[in-house]
Structure formats: C-alpha cells, structure tokens
Amino acid sequence: MIDPHSIFLLLSALGAVIGIILLVTVVKLNPFLSLLLASLALAIVAGMPMAGVIHSFETGVGNTLGHIAIVVALGTMLGKMMAESGGADAIALTLIRVFGEKRLPWAMMVIGLIVGLPAFFEVGFVLLIPIAFTVSRRTGTPLIRVALPLVAALSVDHGLVPPHPAALLAVNTYHADVGRTILYALIIAIPTAALAGPLFAKVIAPWIKMPAENPMADDFADHNPNRSLPGFWLTMGSILLPVALMLIGSWADVFATKGTFANESLHFVGNDDIALLIGVLISFITLGVMRGVSKETILRFSNECLAPTATITLLVGAGGGFGRVLQDSGVSHAMIQIAMQRHLPLLFLAWLLAALMRLATGSATVAMTTAAGIVAPIALQTPGVSPELLAIATGAGSLIFSHVNDGGFWLVKEYLNLSVTETMKSWSICETIISFSGLGFALAASLVI
C-alpha cells in the first residue's frame, strides 16, 4: 500500500515544476525568481519548518555554485581567448574541411566523447561550446544540429563511463571491475550518443525555433576576422591541456603511491578548477602573448567575457537550490519508497531508483550514488547479475529528463538562448533518449554477459 503522504509529496513536486514553467513562459517572470518562489511554496506545502526553508535553498545554491561558478568563469575565459585569437575558427575550418558540412554533427559527437572522458559535463561544455558556435556561424548549420550531439556525448561520458567520480563510486559500491566497466560503458556509450546526438538533432531541429540573436555566441565571435589564424594543433593543445591534466589526476594512484607528495601533486593539478586555471593561464601565452596580444587586451578579454555569465551562474545555482528543497522536503525519499515496494529485476530497479532521484534532485551524481547504495546490498546477495552492467544501468537512470531543478538544464538553455519549452523539447528529451538507450543496451548485454 502506497503511503498517501508520499503521493501528496510527489504531486506537490509535480505542481512546483509546472508552476516554474508557467511562471517563466506565461507570466514572463525572471527564471531565478520563479525557481525561488516555487522552492519556497513547495517547502511550505510539504510541511518543512519555516526556519529551515531558506537555509535549504541557500545550501543547494551554495553547493552547486561552489563548483559551477569557477568552472563557468575559467571555461569562459579560455573560450574567449579561443574566439579572439581565431583559434575557434581554426578548429571549425579544419573540421569542415576534414568531415564536410553534412558530417559535422558526427564530428562534434566524437569531440565530445573524447573531451568528456576525463572532464565533468560542465567543464567539457564550456570548453567546447565556442567551437559549436563557430561551426554553426561558418556553415549556416542550425546551432541545435551541432550543439546537441556535443552535449549528448558529454552527458553519456558523465553518466556511464568511469573515471567520472559518480560512475567510479558506483563501480566500487557494486564491487565491479573498473576495466570491464569502462569497456562495456564505451561499447554502450557510442551508439547511445549517436541516437541522442546527431540522429535526434536531425529530427528535432525543424521543431526548434532558434532566436536570431545569441548574446553568448556573439561574445565568442571573432571580432577581427582578417587576422591570421593560430595553428589547429596549438589551439587544440590549449583546449586539451586541462583535459589531459584531469586524466592524469584521475590516474594519480597508478602513477604514484597514495600519500606521497607526487601523488598529492598529481591529484592537485588534476582537479577540475586547477586544471582549468592552468589551461587559462597557458592560453594567455599561446593564444595571446605569442600572437602579439598586449597584457591590457588580455585583461579586457577576461573582464568582458564574465558579464554574460552572471545570469547563467545564478540560474544554475537556483536550480541546485530547488533540487535541495526537493530532497529536504522528503520528495526524494517518497520516490524511493514507492519504487522499493515493487519487485523488479535488479538492472531495472537500479535504473528506476536513479531515474527517480534524478527527477527529484536534478543531480546525476546524487542519483547515481543514492541508487547504488540502495541496490548494492541486494545485488551482493543475488547471483548472476553483472556488477559492471548494474553500474552502467544506474548511470543511465541518473541522466533521465533533465529539467528545471538541474543546473545543466539552465546552462544549456542560456548558452543556446532557448526558451524553457524549447530546452525541454531538445535537451531534456536528448537526456531521456540517453537514459532509455543506456538501459536498453545494458539489458541486451545482460543476455550475453
């Protein structure tokens, strides 16, 4: 028997989400204010103590911005240097020449899969989105056709493939073999990214109305198109340096013994924030000073590019705040209780629990770690279930239908300059395709493995 209070909490959460959409699209209220009001209303309706309502929202905002704000700032600076130096144009022209315009969505997917292996979704996004802007502008291809394959690939890596922290934690929780998990995840990731990226983008593009003006794309435009372009490999090296540092950091325990200075140093330079900081400083040299750009001009670029990110950063934080209220109000717990009352196959149960947590909290990491913690004790007592596929199925569930409580939703929306509705039709459905495809491929693999 399902607890009536759990049903009430789920309906309240659904009402809050619908309320946010209506406030933004119909009332035309600022999205940040809409998220704040919906969070307060949900908390009060769910019976949270009045003193804890604001604290819950503030905690969610702070936890989200603690990472995202630094990533967005540093990634935007690196993107600005790529744009102003002509580096983004150099990469775009090379991609156009090598792949041809018809295969550019596939090229963007491949780049996303490579860069996304060691990098968090947000890091890969801010590093590569300037290339999507430039490719779209150079070829006249709708931005959604080149951006969606990119974000689909980054998301697949983030949710399915170790050494991403949540995926790696799921591997450890299920006592899975890391090497086999990476192998299976990569085999599943490629067709999954193809379905949710280039193929879905081709279908949905005619239904998405892209605004004529895009402030973020304009900010990353090359304002001196007549200058000579930097080399392709120099620019790619500037982008991939942070990625390489993150990859080294993730394998630090292989290169050096834990607890040693060398090990701690590798972990330090492999941290997302430090790797991006090093990449930005190096780009000031490779894409700035070495090309005759003055220190004053580099400072101006660094200052100019931060202004458009203020709204994005606030919205991402507010999405985290709404997600935290959903957790503290008991919505997440209610979802888990309902799912656990049904006797389901373990792969599907792991996927379902992660999916419900993702819908409730907006965080793929929270969804994956929570679901793994619940399912692992059951899995250890159930013979014949592949722990590697369990980790992958959990990751697939954690990616389902990104919406207004997910910082990534607002990141994609603001950079692509989409409405809430258009973002749901494109990005949210893309994530859902990834989730169901990952589950489907995992279930198919379980028949063989």
Side-chain angles (χ1 to χ4, degrees), residues 35-393:
L35 283 161
L36 177 56
L37 290 174
S39 300
L40 297 177
L42 174 62
I44 293 170
V45 169
M48 285 181 64
M50 298 294 287
V53 172
I54 294 297
H55 176 71
S56 178
F57 185 80
E58 288 177 344
T59 300
V61 171
N63 291 345
T64 303
L65 290 186
H67 175 68
I68 297 295
I70 299 173
V71 166
V72 169
L74 293 174
T76 301
M77 287 183 188
L78 183 53
K80 184 68 170 178
M81 291 305 300
M82 283 172 47
E84 294 292 350
S85 68
D89 281 280
I91 294 174
L93 289 172
T94 302
L95 291 176
I96 294 167
R97 183 176 67 253
V98 173
F99 289 92
E101 290 189 23
K102 291 184 178 179
R103 289 187 291 273
L104 280 176
W106 294 93
M108 297 303 295
M109 184 194 86
V110 171
I111 291 175
L113 285 172
I114 294 171
V115 172
L117 282 174
F120 271 102
F121 173 83
E122 297 86 358
V123 176
F125 182 83
V126 296
L127 281 176
L128 297 179
I129 197 62
I131 299 174
F133 287 145
T134 305
V135 166
S136 175
R137 185 172 60 249
R138 284 273 186 175
T139 63
T141 305
L143 179 58
I144 200 72
R145 287 289 309 276
V146 291
L148 209 56
L150 171 64
V151 295
L154 292 171
S155 181
V156 167
D157 276 346
H158 179 72
L160 303 187
V161 187
H164 282 278
L168 198 56
L169 183 61
V171 167
N172 293 332
T173 304
Y174 288 128
H175 297 182
D177 180 84
V178 177
R180 282 200 297 268
T181 305
I182 292 175
L183 175 63
Y184 299 161
L186 288 174
I187 293 172
I188 289 172
I190 293 172
T192 297
L195 287 171
L199 297 177
F200 175 62
K202 185 176 181 179
V203 172
I204 198 62
W207 301 92
I208 301 295
K209 296 179 181 178
M210 304 292 293
E213 298 295 326
N214 186 329
M216 290 304 298
D218 294 340
D219 190 54
F220 287 127
D222 183 3
H223 297 106
N224 189 1
N226 296 321
R227 73 172 62 185
S228 62
L229 301 179
F232 171 79
W233 290 112
L234 177 68
T235 309
M236 284 299 296
S238 300
I239 298 174
L240 293 177
L241 174 60
V243 177
L245 291 175
M246 292 175 210
L247 191 59
I248 291 171
S250 68
W251 290 91
D253 295 343
V254 176
F255 299 134
T257 306
K258 283 186 178 181
T260 62
F261 176 77
N263 181 272
E264 292 178 358
S265 298
L266 291 176
H267 276 297
F268 180 76
V269 299
N271 176 273
D272 291 353
D273 297 342
I274 300 300
L276 276 172
L277 174 61
I278 293 171
V280 169
L281 295 177
I282 294 297
S283 76
F284 288 164
I285 298 172
T286 57
L287 302 178
V289 175
M290 288 173 56
R291 298 189 53 75
V293 181
S294 68
K295 291 180 289 185
E296 291 76 15
T297 303
I298 292 175
L299 175 61
R300 178 168 57 84
F301 290 162
S302 302
N303 292 336
E304 286 177 352
C305 69
L306 292 180
T309 67
T311 300
I312 295 170
T313 307
L314 269 178
L315 289 179
V316 170
F322 182 58
R324 181 57 184 247
V325 169
L326 285 170
Q327 293 181 58
D328 293 346
S329 64
V331 172
S332 306
H333 182 67
M335 286 185 169
I336 291 174
Q337 276 192 324
I338 292 172
M340 290 295 290
Q341 290 177 10
R342 301 291 184 266
H343 299 288
L344 302 169
L346 273 188
L347 281 180
F348 184 74
L349 178 63
W351 175 87
L352 180 62
L353 288 174
L356 292 174
M357 286 299 297
R358 158 70 160 196
L359 291 171
T361 68
S363 170
T365 302
V366 171
M368 205 182 310
T369 52
T370 303
I374 295 170
V375 175
I378 306 171
L380 294 175
Q381 301 298 321
T382 307
V385 178
S386 166
E388 293 79 20
L389 293 180
L390 263 178
I392 293 170

